[in-house]
Amino acid sequence: MDPEALRAVSGRITALEEQRDPERRSLFVDGEFVLGLHLETILRCRLKVGQDVDGEALWQAYALDLEKQAWEAGLRLLAAAPRTRRELARRLGRTYPPETVERVVARLADAGWLDDRAFAANYVRSHPDFGARRLLADLARKGVDRAVAAAVVQEERGEEEAVEQARAVAAARLRRMGQVDRLTAGRRLAGYLARRGFGPEAVRAALEPLLRDLPAPAVPGRSGLRTAPRGAGWRRKPGAALYGGEESDA
């Protein structure tokens, strides 16, 4: 719809004809089709056959009708999946003008249908195998304010809980590895946890009890291979990386 063309219309409403959708009507001015409107919009704007209208009144009716359409589209999107304000605005922006999207997003938030903090909390709870770093990165990418995301992650995952969560994720992974020595398991698990956003301290605290009873790696000796001392292998040396190189998740 061309705003300037609509604002230039002036005359008398000569018909309000039913469209294929029984809740919408085609509005005619002086016998010419001008635009389609929902019945609710027509009632709210008090439009009726025989009424004299100008372009400004028609433009206001059109803007109100667009907002109604965007509101309903927003509700359908939120019913299909939780979304942040930015995600919803991006989706609605494909169809509706920015000013309409801005008003609808604000209305949905005021009505409680759109809550970035609640979205962040649900996201954290539904991804128990992700560490804080991964969660913060994902939430930022989805449009949650960084301060809000950090507060939610801290509330949902205290430091002790982060270690316990990392340990549970690592234990499940370790069970799938089969027979591995302490060095191999430590390197693979540290990389696995790091890629899921767990910090170095949480990784170290989580892995220590899991690796304690694993067999030490065999190391070369004068008479062939020998077993490394208990505790050797996966621990890092000062200044060294936490784990040696990238390991695949397979």
Side-chain angles (χ1 to χ4, degrees), residues 150-164:
V152 169
V153 171
Q154 180 60 32
E155 289 171 8
E156 296 292 328
R157 300 270 186 89
E159 289 185 14
E160 290 185 8
E161 186 174 345
V163 171
E164 291 302 316

Side-chain angles (χ1 to χ4, degrees), residues 86-98:
R86 190 171 77 182
E87 286 179 322
L88 185 66
R90 185 184 298 121
R91 287 293 299 274
L92 292 177
R94 298 174 184 174
T95 306
Y96 304 100

Side-chain angles (χ1 to χ4, degrees), residues 199-233:
E201 294 305 320
V203 170
R204 193 172 298 109
L207 292 186
E208 194 155 343
L210 293 178
L211 302 176
R212 188 176 299 134
D213 296 326
L214 291 182
V219 296
R222 287 187 177 180
S223 57
L225 296 178
R226 62 183 178 82
T227 300
R230 175 177 288 272

